[in-house]
Amino acid sequence: MTKILSDRIAVYLLIGGLLFRTIIALGLYPGYDEAYYYVYSHNLDWSYFDHPPIVAISTGFGTWITGLVNQFTIRFGTLLLYTGSLCLLYLTALKLFSLPVARMTLAIATLIPIYGIVFGILSQPDSPLIFFWSLTVYLAAQEFWPIRGKNYHPSYRLAYIGLAVGLAVLSKYHGFILGFGLVLFCLTTPRYWPVFRSPWLGLGFIL
């Protein structure tokens, strides 16, 4: 987080984007799906007819902590989750590429309407999915791209990756593709075959 705070451009993009999304969240009337998920938040369960449970939690979060029910409070969880996703995307790009790429990644994800408005404001399953997907990719970058030239040794991050993938699936069932892709990545890269002998992987599957 200190890496983000030390980058003035990143801070401006994050704060500016959050303020813009907040203004829209305050003024835009709730959609039918958002009302649907708000009803979920009154009937918490492990699953619903066609949705996993986290959308109920993210939709109800703002109403639970404020005691108010309006278009802003049912979107409060989404505003937080998308801001967190932007931070994770920035940190991942910084880890894998460079500072200019990290800033460009943050700017694109902030300014593109389909992300900034649809996924960054409206309460829906995609918002927690994007957050936990971004968290998984960030953890994978930390796990699989250490300092060049060093041999790979599986670490505790594999357990965190398993937990993050599980939460992505509980956000939207498409999260399964992310977990499958990571397993396939390790299978097709001999450098990372030690993953399959690590107890951390077993713990990750359990989580």
mmCIF file of all heavy atoms in Angstrom, residues 176-206:
data_model
loop_
_atom_site.group_PDB
_atom_site.id
_atom_site.type_symbol
_atom_site.label_atom_id
_atom_site.label_comp_id
_atom_site.label_asym_id
_atom_site.label_seq_id
_atom_site.Cartn_x
_atom_site.Cartn_y
_atom_site.Cartn_z
ATOM 1 N N PHE A 176 -14.099 -20.327 -11.186
ATOM 2 C CA PHE A 176 -13.505 -21.653 -11.355
ATOM 3 C C PHE A 176 -12.477 -21.653 -12.483
ATOM 4 O O PHE A 176 -11.456 -22.338 -12.412
ATOM 5 C CB PHE A 176 -14.612 -22.672 -11.649
ATOM 6 C CG PHE A 176 -14.095 -24.020 -12.073
ATOM 7 C CD1 PHE A 176 -13.592 -24.919 -11.148
ATOM 8 C CD2 PHE A 176 -14.099 -24.383 -13.417
ATOM 9 C CE1 PHE A 176 -13.104 -26.150 -11.544
ATOM 10 C CE2 PHE A 176 -13.618 -25.615 -13.825
ATOM 11 C CZ PHE A 176 -13.120 -26.512 -12.882
ATOM 12 N N ILE A 177 -12.743 -20.861 -13.525
ATOM 13 C CA ILE A 177 -11.830 -20.803 -14.672
ATOM 14 C C ILE A 177 -10.460 -20.298 -14.231
ATOM 15 O O ILE A 177 -9.425 -20.759 -14.719
ATOM 16 C CB ILE A 177 -12.420 -19.894 -15.770
ATOM 17 C CG1 ILE A 177 -13.753 -20.453 -16.260
ATOM 18 C CG2 ILE A 177 -11.449 -19.732 -16.932
ATOM 19 C CD1 ILE A 177 -14.520 -19.516 -17.171
ATOM 20 N N LEU A 178 -10.441 -19.354 -13.310
ATOM 21 C CA LEU A 178 -9.185 -18.805 -12.816
ATOM 22 C C LEU A 178 -8.362 -19.888 -12.114
ATOM 23 O O LEU A 178 -7.160 -20.029 -12.368
ATOM 24 C CB LEU A 178 -9.470 -17.651 -11.846
ATOM 25 C CG LEU A 178 -8.274 -17.047 -11.116
ATOM 26 C CD1 LEU A 178 -7.291 -16.455 -12.108
ATOM 27 C CD2 LEU A 178 -8.754 -15.973 -10.144
ATOM 28 N N GLY A 179 -9.005 -20.651 -11.228
ATOM 29 C CA GLY A 179 -8.291 -21.722 -10.541
ATOM 30 C C GLY A 179 -7.776 -22.768 -11.505
ATOM 31 O O GLY A 179 -6.625 -23.216 -11.405
ATOM 32 N N PHE A 180 -8.607 -23.162 -12.472
ATOM 33 C CA PHE A 180 -8.198 -24.146 -13.473
ATOM 34 C C PHE A 180 -7.013 -23.618 -14.278
ATOM 35 O O PHE A 180 -6.067 -24.354 -14.578
ATOM 36 C CB PHE A 180 -9.372 -24.463 -14.396
ATOM 37 C CG PHE A 180 -9.039 -25.443 -15.483
ATOM 38 C CD1 PHE A 180 -8.952 -26.806 -15.211
ATOM 39 C CD2 PHE A 180 -8.818 -25.016 -16.782
ATOM 40 C CE1 PHE A 180 -8.642 -27.714 -16.214
ATOM 41 C CE2 PHE A 180 -8.514 -25.912 -17.796
ATOM 42 C CZ PHE A 180 -8.423 -27.268 -17.505
ATOM 43 N N GLY A 181 -7.049 -22.328 -14.625
ATOM 44 C CA GLY A 181 -5.965 -21.739 -15.402
ATOM 45 C C GLY A 181 -4.641 -21.736 -14.652
ATOM 46 O O GLY A 181 -3.575 -21.986 -15.241
ATOM 47 N N LEU A 182 -4.685 -21.489 -13.353
ATOM 48 C CA LEU A 182 -3.454 -21.492 -12.560
ATOM 49 C C LEU A 182 -2.865 -22.892 -12.463
ATOM 50 O O LEU A 182 -1.640 -23.076 -12.532
ATOM 51 C CB LEU A 182 -3.737 -20.935 -11.163
ATOM 52 C CG LEU A 182 -3.935 -19.421 -11.083
ATOM 53 C CD1 LEU A 182 -4.392 -19.017 -9.684
ATOM 54 C CD2 LEU A 182 -2.652 -18.683 -11.445
ATOM 55 N N VAL A 183 -3.724 -23.892 -12.288
ATOM 56 C CA VAL A 183 -3.248 -25.277 -12.248
ATOM 57 C C VAL A 183 -2.616 -25.647 -13.589
ATOM 58 O O VAL A 183 -1.530 -26.250 -13.643
ATOM 59 C CB VAL A 183 -4.395 -26.243 -11.904
ATOM 60 C CG1 VAL A 183 -3.961 -27.693 -12.087
ATOM 61 C CG2 VAL A 183 -4.874 -26.019 -10.476
ATOM 62 N N LEU A 184 -3.268 -25.285 -14.692
ATOM 63 C CA LEU A 184 -2.741 -25.569 -16.023
ATOM 64 C C LEU A 184 -1.415 -24.853 -16.252
ATOM 65 O O LEU A 184 -0.487 -25.402 -16.850
ATOM 66 C CB LEU A 184 -3.769 -25.153 -17.074
ATOM 67 C CG LEU A 184 -3.492 -25.582 -18.517
ATOM 68 C CD1 LEU A 184 -3.480 -27.099 -18.623
ATOM 69 C CD2 LEU A 184 -4.550 -25.006 -19.451
ATOM 70 N N PHE A 185 -1.315 -23.617 -15.753
ATOM 71 C CA PHE A 185 -0.071 -22.854 -15.862
ATOM 72 C C PHE A 185 1.079 -23.593 -15.182
ATOM 73 O O PHE A 185 2.176 -23.721 -15.744
ATOM 74 C CB PHE A 185 -0.262 -21.473 -15.239
ATOM 75 C CG PHE A 185 1.013 -20.746 -14.946
ATOM 76 C CD1 PHE A 185 1.773 -20.207 -15.973
ATOM 77 C CD2 PHE A 185 1.459 -20.586 -13.638
ATOM 78 C CE1 PHE A 185 2.959 -19.528 -15.704
ATOM 79 C CE2 PHE A 185 2.637 -19.917 -13.368
ATOM 80 C CZ PHE A 185 3.388 -19.389 -14.405
ATOM 81 N N CYS A 186 0.844 -24.094 -13.981
ATOM 82 C CA CYS A 186 1.899 -24.805 -13.249
ATOM 83 C C CYS A 186 2.235 -26.136 -13.918
ATOM 84 O O CYS A 186 3.401 -26.552 -13.941
ATOM 85 C CB CYS A 186 1.475 -25.033 -11.807
ATOM 86 S SG CYS A 186 1.383 -23.527 -10.820
ATOM 87 N N LEU A 187 1.217 -26.810 -14.474
ATOM 88 C CA LEU A 187 1.451 -28.095 -15.148
ATOM 89 C C LEU A 187 2.312 -27.935 -16.390
ATOM 90 O O LEU A 187 3.114 -28.807 -16.725
ATOM 91 C CB LEU A 187 0.117 -28.735 -15.532
ATOM 92 C CG LEU A 187 -0.643 -29.482 -14.432
ATOM 93 C CD1 LEU A 187 -2.014 -29.903 -14.930
ATOM 94 C CD2 LEU A 187 0.157 -30.701 -13.953
ATOM 95 N N THR A 188 2.152 -26.829 -17.091
ATOM 96 C CA THR A 188 2.853 -26.637 -18.361
ATOM 97 C C THR A 188 4.161 -25.867 -18.211
ATOM 98 O O THR A 188 4.809 -25.557 -19.207
ATOM 99 C CB THR A 188 1.940 -25.887 -19.354
ATOM 100 O OG1 THR A 188 1.498 -24.664 -18.768
ATOM 101 C CG2 THR A 188 0.735 -26.743 -19.719
ATOM 102 N N THR A 189 4.535 -25.560 -16.976
ATOM 103 C CA THR A 189 5.792 -24.838 -16.723
ATOM 104 C C THR A 189 6.643 -25.652 -15.763
ATOM 105 O O THR A 189 6.395 -25.661 -14.544
ATOM 106 C CB THR A 189 5.514 -23.442 -16.115
ATOM 107 O OG1 THR A 189 4.505 -22.769 -16.877
ATOM 108 C CG2 THR A 189 6.782 -22.606 -16.092
ATOM 109 N N PRO A 190 7.640 -26.401 -16.256
ATOM 110 C CA PRO A 190 8.430 -27.298 -15.396
ATOM 111 C C PRO A 190 9.014 -26.615 -14.167
ATOM 112 O O PRO A 190 9.148 -27.250 -13.111
ATOM 113 C CB PRO A 190 9.526 -27.802 -16.336
ATOM 114 C CG PRO A 190 8.907 -27.734 -17.704
ATOM 115 C CD PRO A 190 8.028 -26.515 -17.671
ATOM 116 N N ARG A 191 9.340 -25.349 -14.275
ATOM 117 C CA ARG A 191 9.910 -24.621 -13.143
ATOM 118 C C ARG A 191 8.986 -24.672 -11.925
ATOM 119 O O ARG A 191 9.460 -24.656 -10.778
ATOM 120 C CB ARG A 191 10.161 -23.173 -13.560
ATOM 121 C CG ARG A 191 10.510 -22.213 -12.426
ATOM 122 C CD ARG A 191 10.658 -20.799 -12.962
ATOM 123 N NE ARG A 191 10.777 -19.821 -11.912
ATOM 124 C CZ ARG A 191 11.922 -19.477 -11.324
ATOM 125 N NH1 ARG A 191 13.042 -20.073 -11.667
ATOM 126 N NH2 ARG A 191 11.939 -18.552 -10.373
ATOM 127 N N TYR A 192 7.668 -24.762 -12.180
ATOM 128 C CA TYR A 192 6.709 -24.701 -11.085
ATOM 129 C C TYR A 192 6.110 -26.057 -10.713
ATOM 130 O O TYR A 192 5.156 -26.110 -9.932
ATOM 131 C CB TYR A 192 5.586 -23.709 -11.438
ATOM 132 C CG TYR A 192 6.109 -22.313 -11.655
ATOM 133 C CD1 TYR A 192 5.959 -21.673 -12.882
ATOM 134 C CD2 TYR A 192 6.791 -21.644 -10.641
ATOM 135 C CE1 TYR A 192 6.467 -20.396 -13.088
ATOM 136 C CE2 TYR A 192 7.296 -20.371 -10.841
ATOM 137 C CZ TYR A 192 7.136 -19.750 -12.067
ATOM 138 O OH TYR A 192 7.645 -18.492 -12.268
ATOM 139 N N TRP A 193 6.679 -27.136 -11.205
ATOM 140 C CA TRP A 193 6.193 -28.458 -10.827
ATOM 141 C C TRP A 193 6.317 -28.741 -9.324
ATOM 142 O O TRP A 193 5.517 -29.517 -8.784
ATOM 143 C CB TRP A 193 6.922 -29.536 -11.628
ATOM 144 C CG TRP A 193 6.447 -29.601 -13.057
ATOM 145 C CD1 TRP A 193 5.405 -28.905 -13.616
ATOM 146 C CD2 TRP A 193 7.007 -30.385 -14.108
ATOM 147 N NE1 TRP A 193 5.274 -29.205 -14.943
ATOM 148 C CE2 TRP A 193 6.241 -30.112 -15.283
ATOM 149 C CE3 TRP A 193 8.066 -31.283 -14.190
ATOM 150 C CZ2 TRP A 193 6.518 -30.719 -16.508
ATOM 151 C CZ3 TRP A 193 8.341 -31.893 -15.412
ATOM 152 C CH2 TRP A 193 7.573 -31.616 -16.558
ATOM 153 N N PRO A 194 7.285 -28.145 -8.621
ATOM 154 C CA PRO A 194 7.327 -28.363 -7.162
ATOM 155 C C PRO A 194 6.038 -27.968 -6.433
ATOM 156 O O PRO A 194 5.814 -28.411 -5.303
ATOM 157 C CB PRO A 194 8.504 -27.485 -6.711
ATOM 158 C CG PRO A 194 9.404 -27.430 -7.903
ATOM 159 C CD PRO A 194 8.477 -27.390 -9.083
ATOM 160 N N VAL A 195 5.197 -27.142 -7.079
ATOM 161 C CA VAL A 195 3.910 -26.774 -6.472
ATOM 162 C C VAL A 195 3.124 -28.013 -6.072
ATOM 163 O O VAL A 195 2.501 -28.064 -5.002
ATOM 164 C CB VAL A 195 3.088 -25.914 -7.465
ATOM 165 C CG1 VAL A 195 1.617 -25.872 -7.069
ATOM 166 C CG2 VAL A 195 3.647 -24.496 -7.537
ATOM 167 N N PHE A 196 3.155 -29.040 -6.938
ATOM 168 C CA PHE A 196 2.309 -30.208 -6.737
ATOM 169 C C PHE A 196 2.847 -31.155 -5.660
ATOM 170 O O PHE A 196 2.182 -32.126 -5.312
ATOM 171 C CB PHE A 196 2.120 -30.945 -8.066
ATOM 172 C CG PHE A 196 1.470 -30.085 -9.121
ATOM 173 C CD1 PHE A 196 2.229 -29.520 -10.138
ATOM 174 C CD2 PHE A 196 0.122 -29.804 -9.064
ATOM 175 C CE1 PHE A 196 1.642 -28.717 -11.104
ATOM 176 C CE2 PHE A 196 -0.479 -28.996 -10.021
ATOM 177 C CZ PHE A 196 0.278 -28.448 -11.035
ATOM 178 N N ARG A 197 4.021 -30.842 -5.133
ATOM 179 C CA ARG A 197 4.560 -31.613 -4.009
ATOM 180 C C ARG A 197 4.501 -30.826 -2.699
ATOM 181 O O ARG A 197 4.975 -31.286 -1.674
ATOM 182 C CB ARG A 197 6.018 -32.016 -4.293
ATOM 183 C CG ARG A 197 6.193 -32.881 -5.520
ATOM 184 C CD ARG A 197 7.601 -33.449 -5.605
ATOM 185 N NE ARG A 197 8.602 -32.396 -5.753
ATOM 186 C CZ ARG A 197 9.032 -31.925 -6.927
ATOM 187 N NH1 ARG A 197 8.540 -32.421 -8.065
ATOM 188 N NH2 ARG A 197 9.950 -30.979 -6.996
ATOM 189 N N SER A 198 3.925 -29.629 -2.766
ATOM 190 C CA SER A 198 3.925 -28.753 -1.604
ATOM 191 C C SER A 198 2.682 -28.955 -0.738
ATOM 192 O O SER A 198 1.566 -29.008 -1.250
ATOM 193 C CB SER A 198 3.995 -27.287 -2.052
ATOM 194 O OG SER A 198 3.803 -26.412 -0.964
ATOM 195 N N PRO A 199 2.861 -29.036 0.587
ATOM 196 C CA PRO A 199 1.683 -29.112 1.474
ATOM 197 C C PRO A 199 0.847 -27.833 1.435
ATOM 198 O O PRO A 199 -0.334 -27.852 1.757
ATOM 199 C CB PRO A 199 2.296 -29.326 2.860
ATOM 200 C CG PRO A 199 3.704 -28.809 2.753
ATOM 201 C CD PRO A 199 4.129 -29.103 1.336
ATOM 202 N N TRP A 200 1.465 -26.714 1.030
ATOM 203 C CA TRP A 200 0.724 -25.468 0.925
ATOM 204 C C TRP A 200 -0.381 -25.555 -0.131
ATOM 205 O O TRP A 200 -1.431 -24.935 0.003
ATOM 206 C CB TRP A 200 1.654 -24.305 0.612
ATOM 207 C CG TRP A 200 2.595 -23.952 1.711
ATOM 208 C CD1 TRP A 200 3.950 -24.082 1.724
ATOM 209 C CD2 TRP A 200 2.241 -23.433 3.009
ATOM 210 N NE1 TRP A 200 4.463 -23.662 2.924
ATOM 211 C CE2 TRP A 200 3.445 -23.260 3.734
ATOM 212 C CE3 TRP A 200 1.038 -23.090 3.613
ATOM 213 C CZ2 TRP A 200 3.466 -22.759 5.027
ATOM 214 C CZ3 TRP A 200 1.062 -22.582 4.921
ATOM 215 C CH2 TRP A 200 2.269 -22.438 5.604
ATOM 216 N N LEU A 201 -0.116 -26.345 -1.209
ATOM 217 C CA LEU A 201 -1.144 -26.520 -2.228
ATOM 218 C C LEU A 201 -2.342 -27.274 -1.648
ATOM 219 O O LEU A 201 -3.491 -26.922 -1.905
ATOM 220 C CB LEU A 201 -0.577 -27.288 -3.425
ATOM 221 C CG LEU A 201 -1.566 -27.540 -4.555
ATOM 222 C CD1 LEU A 201 -2.009 -26.226 -5.193
ATOM 223 C CD2 LEU A 201 -0.958 -28.467 -5.612
ATOM 224 N N GLY A 202 -2.069 -28.307 -0.849
ATOM 225 C CA GLY A 202 -3.153 -29.040 -0.212
ATOM 226 C C GLY A 202 -3.994 -28.152 0.684
ATOM 227 O O GLY A 202 -5.228 -28.211 0.676
ATOM 228 N N LEU A 203 -3.314 -27.298 1.455
ATOM 229 C CA LEU A 203 -4.039 -26.364 2.308
ATOM 230 C C LEU A 203 -4.862 -25.381 1.473
ATOM 231 O O LEU A 203 -5.988 -25.032 1.820
ATOM 232 C CB LEU A 203 -3.068 -25.604 3.221
ATOM 233 C CG LEU A 203 -3.686 -24.576 4.169
ATOM 234 C CD1 LEU A 203 -4.712 -25.238 5.082
ATOM 235 C CD2 LEU A 203 -2.595 -23.889 4.993
ATOM 236 N N GLY A 204 -4.298 -24.964 0.337
ATOM 237 C CA GLY A 204 -5.012 -24.064 -0.562
ATOM 238 C C GLY A 204 -6.288 -24.684 -1.093
ATOM 239 O O GLY A 204 -7.340 -24.031 -1.152
ATOM 240 N N PHE A 205 -6.239 -25.973 -1.469
ATOM 241 C CA PHE A 205 -7.437 -26.667 -1.952
ATOM 242 C C PHE A 205 -8.481 -26.767 -0.836
ATOM 243 O O PHE A 205 -9.678 -26.606 -1.063
ATOM 244 C CB PHE A 205 -7.089 -28.060 -2.468
ATOM 245 C CG PHE A 205 -6.653 -28.069 -3.897
ATOM 246 C CD1 PHE A 205 -5.371 -28.479 -4.247
ATOM 247 C CD2 PHE A 205 -7.521 -27.671 -4.902
ATOM 248 C CE1 PHE A 205 -4.956 -28.490 -5.580
ATOM 249 C CE2 PHE A 205 -7.123 -27.688 -6.246
ATOM 250 C CZ PHE A 205 -5.836 -28.098 -6.581
ATOM 251 N N ILE A 206 -8.025 -27.047 0.385
ATOM 252 C CA ILE A 206 -8.964 -27.137 1.511
ATOM 253 C C ILE A 206 -9.659 -25.801 1.740
ATOM 254 O O ILE A 206 -10.866 -25.730 1.917
ATOM 255 C CB ILE A 206 -8.224 -27.593 2.778
ATOM 256 C CG1 ILE A 206 -7.778 -29.049 2.628
ATOM 257 C CG2 ILE A 206 -9.134 -27.453 4.014
ATOM 258 C CD1 ILE A 206 -6.867 -29.512 3.738
#
